[in-house]
Amino acid sequence: MRYKVTFVVGLTIGYVLGTRAGRERYEQLKKSAREISKNPAVRNAAESAGQTGRQFAGKAFAAVSDKVGDAVPQALAGRVRALRDRAGGGGEDDWGTSNT
């Protein structure tokens, strides 16, 4: 119960402060976020993080499926294969690193 009350109080404070800041401040924050997201360094970092996450997920799936064998549901296996194909996993060697 204590956490619910804390959450509601935090939500209320955030709403009050947000409404006092007004639309102009919201537009400033939105413009800043848009400019940051267009920065090539930020885009490269996000792309790199996504690619690394996909690689780790693929390695983890392979390790888990080796240990549990046929206990991995086919729906999960198909979803992982689809994500791997969509990410362009064709350029990976046996170690899971790209050749580029």
Side-chain angles (χ1 to χ4, degrees):
M1 184 68 183
R2 183 179 84 176
Y3 296 111
K4 288 181 183 180
V5 171
T6 304
F7 176 74
V8 171
V9 169
L11 187 65
T12 304
I13 290 171
Y15 176 78
V16 169
L17 292 176
T19 55
R20 286 191 180 166
R23 183 73 177 181
E24 183 178 330
R25 180 66 179 147
Y26 169 76
E27 292 297 332
Q28 284 177 335
L29 292 172
K30 189 171 145 183
K31 181 181 175 187
S32 297
R34 192 174 297 131
E35 288 174 1
I36 289 171
S37 69
K38 289 182 181 180
N39 186 338
V42 173
R43 285 185 162 200
N44 288 340
E47 184 177 326
S48 175
Q51 187 175 22
T52 302
R54 285 189 293 275
Q55 288 175 353
F56 282 134
K59 288 179 185 179
F61 175 75
V64 169
S65 63
D66 286 346
K67 290 189 182 213
V68 296
D70 295 331
V72 175
Q74 288 299 324
L76 176 62
R79 179 72 176 140
V80 170
R81 275 190 223 100
L83 288 172
R84 190 180 301 154
D85 292 342
R86 187 177 77 184
E92 293 184 357
D93 58 19
D94 293 336
W95 296 95
T97 57
S98 66
N99 294 327
T100 56

